[in-house]
Amino acid sequence: MSLERTLSIVKPDGVEKNLIGEVVRRFEAAGLRVAGARMLHLSRRQAEGFYAVHQARPFFASLVEFMTSGPCFVMVLEGDGAILKVRDLMGATDPAKAAPGTIRKDFASSIERNVVHGSDGPDTARFETGYFFAEFELARRGGAA
Ligand code: CMP
């Protein structure tokens, strides 16, 4: 496996449910390291830009509404195979289809209000990490350049 970075967001429903610590705990317990993190209340423009790839989907307006409804906790995670690791820990987008023991199975209330986001591949991870963090804001503890 190679050292990767990925972006994760504890969404407004997760922040409202006081799940920031629980989500970070699960990531850290799986060997991931937090390279950068901050609280953020997304503007409409920021949410639309972040989810631009979903612009044509019927759920886009509702998704933007939800993501701007309260503060988020955005973080960059680093580790071996971080992108897939985070996705495995989150579970399927729809909590009804998520595997037992995953974050979404345990805490999400719907396919939209699904507590947590994680980049879905290397290109997305690069775009999403750069969307919220400058390189100098990220600590590198993994040893690789
Ligand atoms: P996320 O991993 O953040 O990526 C896009 C988000 O859109 C997804 O999580 C859900 O919150 C939301 N989403 C995806 N599919 C649907 C859907 N069919 N209906 C409503 N929201 C969706």
Side-chain angles (χ1 to χ4, degrees):
M1 265 191 292
S2 61
L3 184 67
E4 291 175 340
R5 276 177 178 167
T6 188
L7 184 94
S8 179
I9 304 177
V10 181
K11 299 184 181 188
D13 59 329
V15 172
E16 177 65 29
K17 291 175 177 168
N18 251 352
L19 290 172
I20 295 171
E22 174 63 15
V23 171
V24 173
R25 187 194 68 74
R26 290 187 184 207
F27 290 156
E28 288 188 330
L32 295 162
R33 297 175 295 273
V34 177
R38 81 164 70 95
M39 290 298 294
L40 197 63
H41 194 140
L42 290 176
S43 68
R44 171 164 298 277
R45 210 166 141 224
Q46 284 173 320
E48 286 173 350
F50 182 77
Y51 280 122
V53 61
H54 297 301
Q55 212 162 307
R57 311 288 282 275
F59 58 81
F60 183 70
S62 174
L63 175 63
V64 169
E65 194 67 32
F66 164 56
M67 290 300 290
T68 56
S69 67
C72 291
F73 185 77
V74 295
M75 68 191 125
V76 174
L77 297 154
E78 186 184 83
D80 272 345
I83 298 169
L84 202 61
K85 229 177 226 180
V86 165
R87 293 189 69 75
D88 285 348
L89 291 163
M90 291 192 304
T93 308
D94 182 353
K97 296 179 183 151
T102 60
I103 295 168
R104 285 165 169 165
K105 182 68 172 184
D106 289 347
F107 303 113
S109 49
S110 73
I111 193 167
E112 179 176 88
R113 300 174 73 84
N114 61 358
V115 175
V116 69
H117 166 85
S119 309
D120 65 5
D123 291 346
T124 321
R126 217 167 294 119
F127 166 74
E128 293 183 348
T129 297
Y131 197 81
F132 291 116
F133 295 92
E135 185 60 37
F136 71 84
E137 295 176 289
L138 300 174
R140 205 173 257 292
R141 293 184 285 158

